[in-house]
Short mmCIF file of all heavy atoms in Angstrom, two decimals:
data_model
loop_
_atom_site.label_atom_id
_atom_site.label_comp_id
_atom_site.label_asym_id
_atom_site.label_seq_id
_atom_site.Cartn_x
_atom_site.Cartn_y
_atom_site.Cartn_z
N ALA N 1 0.55 22.68 27.05
CA ALA N 1 -0.14 23.28 28.13
C ALA N 1 -1.51 22.53 28.21
O ALA N 1 -2.12 22.11 27.23
CB ALA N 1 -0.32 24.74 27.87
N GLY N 2 -2.08 22.61 29.39
CA GLY N 2 -3.39 22.00 29.53
C GLY N 2 -3.73 21.79 31.02
O GLY N 2 -3.04 22.21 31.93
N THR N 3 -4.71 20.88 31.27
CA THR N 3 -5.08 20.46 32.59
C THR N 3 -4.96 18.99 32.64
O THR N 3 -5.46 18.19 31.92
CB THR N 3 -6.55 20.97 32.91
OG1 THR N 3 -6.61 22.33 32.83
CG2 THR N 3 -6.94 20.53 34.26
N LYS N 4 -4.35 18.49 33.75
CA LYS N 4 -4.30 17.00 33.97
C LYS N 4 -5.07 16.62 35.28
O LYS N 4 -4.99 17.38 36.29
CB LYS N 4 -2.75 16.73 34.22
CG LYS N 4 -2.43 15.37 34.38
CD LYS N 4 -2.47 14.72 33.07
CE LYS N 4 -1.25 13.76 32.90
NZ LYS N 4 -1.26 13.01 31.60
N ARG N 5 -5.86 15.63 35.14
CA ARG N 5 -6.61 15.18 36.35
C ARG N 5 -6.13 13.89 36.80
O ARG N 5 -5.83 12.95 36.06
CB ARG N 5 -8.12 14.97 35.85
CG ARG N 5 -8.76 16.36 35.66
CD ARG N 5 -10.13 16.20 35.05
NE ARG N 5 -10.85 17.49 34.94
CZ ARG N 5 -10.50 18.45 34.10
NH1 ARG N 5 -9.47 18.27 33.29
NH2 ARG N 5 -11.20 19.54 34.00
N LEU N 6 -5.82 13.87 38.08
CA LEU N 6 -5.21 12.69 38.69
C LEU N 6 -6.00 12.25 39.97
O LEU N 6 -6.77 13.01 40.49
CB LEU N 6 -3.79 13.03 39.21
CG LEU N 6 -2.79 13.71 38.24
CD1 LEU N 6 -1.58 14.29 38.91
CD2 LEU N 6 -2.34 12.72 37.24
N ARG N 7 -5.82 10.99 40.28
CA ARG N 7 -6.48 10.53 41.54
C ARG N 7 -5.33 10.06 42.42
O ARG N 7 -4.69 9.02 42.19
CB ARG N 7 -7.47 9.38 41.31
CG ARG N 7 -8.14 8.86 42.45
CD ARG N 7 -9.25 7.97 42.22
NE ARG N 7 -10.20 8.81 41.40
CZ ARG N 7 -11.51 8.75 41.43
NH1 ARG N 7 -12.06 7.71 42.13
NH2 ARG N 7 -12.26 9.47 40.68
N HIS N 8 -5.25 10.71 43.49
CA HIS N 8 -4.25 10.31 44.56
C HIS N 8 -4.95 9.35 45.60
O HIS N 8 -6.15 9.62 45.85
CB HIS N 8 -3.74 11.53 45.27
CG HIS N 8 -2.68 11.31 46.19
ND1 HIS N 8 -2.76 10.85 47.48
CD2 HIS N 8 -1.30 11.45 45.99
CE1 HIS N 8 -1.55 10.71 48.08
NE2 HIS N 8 -0.68 11.07 47.16
N PRO N 9 -4.24 8.37 45.98
CA PRO N 9 -4.96 7.44 46.83
C PRO N 9 -5.41 7.91 48.31
O PRO N 9 -6.27 7.27 48.92
CB PRO N 9 -3.85 6.28 47.04
CG PRO N 9 -2.55 6.91 46.73
CD PRO N 9 -2.90 7.98 45.74
N ILE N 10 -4.70 9.05 48.64
CA ILE N 10 -5.11 9.51 49.98
C ILE N 10 -6.04 10.86 49.91
O ILE N 10 -7.05 10.83 50.57
CB ILE N 10 -3.81 9.94 50.77
CG1 ILE N 10 -3.05 8.64 51.10
CG2 ILE N 10 -4.26 10.62 52.12
CD1 ILE N 10 -1.75 8.80 51.70
N VAL N 11 -5.69 11.79 49.04
CA VAL N 11 -6.37 13.02 49.00
C VAL N 11 -7.43 13.01 47.90
O VAL N 11 -8.22 14.03 47.86
CB VAL N 11 -5.45 14.18 48.81
CG1 VAL N 11 -4.57 14.36 50.12
CG2 VAL N 11 -4.63 14.20 47.57
N GLY N 12 -7.51 11.99 47.06
CA GLY N 12 -8.47 11.99 46.04
C GLY N 12 -8.16 12.65 44.83
O GLY N 12 -6.99 12.80 44.32
N ASP N 13 -9.17 13.26 44.16
CA ASP N 13 -9.04 13.88 42.80
C ASP N 13 -8.30 15.26 42.92
O ASP N 13 -8.54 16.04 43.76
CB ASP N 13 -10.39 14.12 42.18
CG ASP N 13 -11.15 12.77 41.79
OD1 ASP N 13 -10.45 11.72 41.64
OD2 ASP N 13 -12.40 12.81 41.74
N LEU N 14 -7.34 15.34 41.99
CA LEU N 14 -6.62 16.53 41.78
C LEU N 14 -6.63 17.07 40.37
O LEU N 14 -6.78 16.25 39.38
CB LEU N 14 -5.10 16.34 42.01
CG LEU N 14 -4.72 15.84 43.45
CD1 LEU N 14 -3.27 15.34 43.42
CD2 LEU N 14 -4.95 16.95 44.55
N SER N 15 -6.92 18.29 40.19
CA SER N 15 -6.86 18.91 38.89
C SER N 15 -5.70 19.98 38.86
O SER N 15 -5.76 20.90 39.64
CB SER N 15 -8.21 19.70 38.70
OG SER N 15 -8.20 20.32 37.37
N LEU N 16 -4.79 19.70 37.94
CA LEU N 16 -3.53 20.46 37.97
C LEU N 16 -3.37 21.06 36.49
O LEU N 16 -3.54 20.34 35.53
CB LEU N 16 -2.29 19.73 38.34
CG LEU N 16 -2.43 18.96 39.75
CD1 LEU N 16 -1.27 18.13 39.89
CD2 LEU N 16 -2.52 20.01 40.79
N ASP N 17 -3.04 22.38 36.42
CA ASP N 17 -2.64 22.94 35.18
C ASP N 17 -1.13 22.55 34.82
O ASP N 17 -0.48 22.49 35.85
CB ASP N 17 -2.83 24.47 35.11
CG ASP N 17 -4.35 24.92 35.32
OD1 ASP N 17 -5.24 24.15 34.80
OD2 ASP N 17 -4.60 25.93 35.81
N TYR N 18 -0.88 22.28 33.65
CA TYR N 18 0.56 21.94 33.37
C TYR N 18 1.02 22.88 32.20
O TYR N 18 0.35 23.34 31.35
CB TYR N 18 0.78 20.54 33.03
CG TYR N 18 0.11 19.98 31.79
CD1 TYR N 18 0.89 20.07 30.60
CD2 TYR N 18 -1.18 19.53 31.74
CE1 TYR N 18 0.40 19.61 29.45
CE2 TYR N 18 -1.60 19.08 30.55
CZ TYR N 18 -0.93 19.08 29.38
OH TYR N 18 -1.45 18.66 28.16
N LEU N 19 2.38 23.05 32.22
CA LEU N 19 3.08 23.78 31.19
C LEU N 19 4.28 22.99 30.90
O LEU N 19 5.07 22.65 31.84
CB LEU N 19 3.41 25.11 31.72
CG LEU N 19 4.10 26.01 30.68
CD1 LEU N 19 3.28 26.32 29.39
CD2 LEU N 19 4.44 27.40 31.40
N VAL N 20 4.58 22.63 29.65
CA VAL N 20 5.81 21.92 29.27
C VAL N 20 6.79 22.84 28.59
O VAL N 20 6.36 23.61 27.69
CB VAL N 20 5.46 20.77 28.32
CG1 VAL N 20 6.72 20.03 27.93
CG2 VAL N 20 4.43 19.80 28.90
N LEU N 21 7.97 22.94 29.11
CA LEU N 21 9.00 23.86 28.61
C LEU N 21 10.13 23.08 28.02
O LEU N 21 10.53 22.02 28.57
CB LEU N 21 9.50 24.68 29.77
CG LEU N 21 8.53 25.51 30.54
CD1 LEU N 21 9.18 26.20 31.83
CD2 LEU N 21 7.88 26.65 29.63
N ALA N 22 10.58 23.50 26.91
CA ALA N 22 11.66 22.84 26.23
C ALA N 22 12.91 23.27 26.86
O ALA N 22 13.12 24.42 27.39
CB ALA N 22 11.75 23.18 24.75
N VAL N 23 13.88 22.31 27.07
CA VAL N 23 15.24 22.62 27.59
C VAL N 23 16.10 23.09 26.42
O VAL N 23 16.35 22.38 25.53
CB VAL N 23 15.84 21.43 28.18
CG1 VAL N 23 17.24 21.75 28.76
CG2 VAL N 23 14.97 21.01 29.48
N GLU N 24 16.53 24.34 26.41
CA GLU N 24 17.37 24.91 25.40
C GLU N 24 18.66 24.09 25.27
O GLU N 24 19.34 23.79 26.30
CB GLU N 24 17.65 26.26 25.66
CG GLU N 24 18.24 26.95 24.51
CD GLU N 24 18.37 28.51 24.69
OE1 GLU N 24 17.45 29.15 25.26
OE2 GLU N 24 19.48 29.00 24.28
N GLY N 25 18.92 23.71 24.10
CA GLY N 25 20.18 23.02 23.83
C GLY N 25 20.12 21.50 23.89
O GLY N 25 21.05 20.86 23.57
N ASP N 26 18.92 20.93 24.36
CA ASP N 26 18.69 19.52 24.39
C ASP N 26 17.25 19.16 24.06
O ASP N 26 16.40 19.20 25.01
CB ASP N 26 19.11 18.96 25.76
CG ASP N 26 19.10 17.48 25.78
OD1 ASP N 26 18.58 16.87 24.82
OD2 ASP N 26 19.64 16.86 26.68
N PRO N 27 16.93 18.93 22.76
CA PRO N 27 15.63 18.85 22.43
C PRO N 27 14.85 17.47 23.01
O PRO N 27 13.71 17.40 22.95
CB PRO N 27 15.59 18.70 20.80
CG PRO N 27 17.10 18.28 20.62
CD PRO N 27 17.92 18.87 21.70
N ASP N 28 15.72 16.61 23.60
CA ASP N 28 15.15 15.37 24.06
C ASP N 28 14.64 15.49 25.56
O ASP N 28 14.13 14.64 26.11
CB ASP N 28 16.22 14.30 24.04
CG ASP N 28 16.53 13.78 22.62
OD1 ASP N 28 15.67 13.98 21.76
OD2 ASP N 28 17.68 13.46 22.31
N GLN N 29 14.93 16.66 26.10
CA GLN N 29 14.51 16.92 27.48
C GLN N 29 13.51 18.08 27.54
O GLN N 29 13.52 19.03 26.74
CB GLN N 29 15.72 17.34 28.37
CG GLN N 29 16.64 16.09 28.52
CD GLN N 29 17.74 16.50 29.64
OE1 GLN N 29 17.42 17.24 30.55
NE2 GLN N 29 18.87 15.94 29.47
N THR N 30 12.55 17.90 28.47
CA THR N 30 11.50 18.96 28.75
C THR N 30 11.47 19.07 30.24
O THR N 30 11.81 18.19 31.04
CB THR N 30 10.24 18.62 28.16
OG1 THR N 30 9.75 17.38 28.66
CG2 THR N 30 10.24 18.57 26.61
N LEU N 31 10.87 20.21 30.63
CA LEU N 31 10.56 20.46 32.08
C LEU N 31 9.02 20.69 32.13
O LEU N 31 8.50 21.51 31.37
CB LEU N 31 11.24 21.69 32.66
CG LEU N 31 10.89 22.19 33.99
CD1 LEU N 31 11.25 21.15 34.98
CD2 LEU N 31 11.49 23.53 34.30
N THR N 32 8.43 19.83 32.95
CA THR N 32 6.91 20.00 33.05
C THR N 32 6.63 20.50 34.38
O THR N 32 7.03 20.01 35.43
CB THR N 32 6.19 18.67 32.84
OG1 THR N 32 6.57 18.14 31.60
CG2 THR N 32 4.68 18.77 32.90
N ILE N 33 5.80 21.52 34.45
CA ILE N 33 5.29 22.27 35.70
C ILE N 33 3.87 22.09 35.98
O ILE N 33 3.16 22.35 35.00
CB ILE N 33 5.72 23.73 35.67
CG1 ILE N 33 7.16 23.99 35.36
CG2 ILE N 33 5.29 24.60 36.91
CD1 ILE N 33 7.56 25.37 35.11
N TYR N 34 3.52 21.58 37.13
CA TYR N 34 2.16 21.31 37.44
C TYR N 34 1.78 22.34 38.57
O TYR N 34 2.54 22.34 39.65
CB TYR N 34 1.91 19.91 37.93
CG TYR N 34 2.12 18.83 36.93
CD1 TYR N 34 3.29 18.22 36.63
CD2 TYR N 34 1.05 18.51 36.09
CE1 TYR N 34 3.46 17.29 35.66
CE2 TYR N 34 1.12 17.47 35.13
CZ TYR N 34 2.42 16.91 34.88
OH TYR N 34 2.57 15.99 33.87
N THR N 35 0.60 23.08 38.48
CA THR N 35 0.16 23.92 39.48
C THR N 35 -1.35 23.87 39.59
O THR N 35 -2.05 23.64 38.63
CB THR N 35 0.54 25.34 39.15
OG1 THR N 35 -0.05 25.68 37.87
CG2 THR N 35 2.03 25.63 39.02
N PRO N 36 -1.81 23.81 40.85
CA PRO N 36 -3.25 23.85 41.09
C PRO N 36 -3.83 25.24 41.02
O PRO N 36 -3.02 26.34 41.13
CB PRO N 36 -3.33 23.35 42.51
CG PRO N 36 -2.16 23.84 43.19
CD PRO N 36 -1.06 23.82 42.19
N GLU N 37 -5.09 25.39 40.77
CA GLU N 37 -5.67 26.74 40.83
C GLU N 37 -5.62 27.15 42.31
O GLU N 37 -5.87 26.42 43.19
CB GLU N 37 -7.18 26.55 40.33
CG GLU N 37 -7.97 27.85 40.27
CD GLU N 37 -7.43 28.66 39.00
OE1 GLU N 37 -7.07 28.09 38.08
OE2 GLU N 37 -7.54 29.97 39.22
N PRO N 38 -5.20 28.50 42.58
CA PRO N 38 -5.18 28.92 43.87
C PRO N 38 -6.48 28.76 44.63
O PRO N 38 -7.53 28.97 44.10
CB PRO N 38 -4.83 30.38 43.82
CG PRO N 38 -4.11 30.55 42.42
CD PRO N 38 -4.81 29.44 41.63
N ALA N 39 -6.44 28.42 45.89
CA ALA N 39 -7.52 28.27 46.83
C ALA N 39 -8.63 27.21 46.33
O ALA N 39 -9.69 27.19 46.77
CB ALA N 39 -8.21 29.63 47.03
#
């Protein structure tokens, strides 16, 4: 979990919180969810 900062070529800087979830039954796979702070 944490915050990722990205620079998009059109909209500029983005700050997204992320959460990495393990896929049950397959330790080699994960699901990463990125969300911005509302508003």
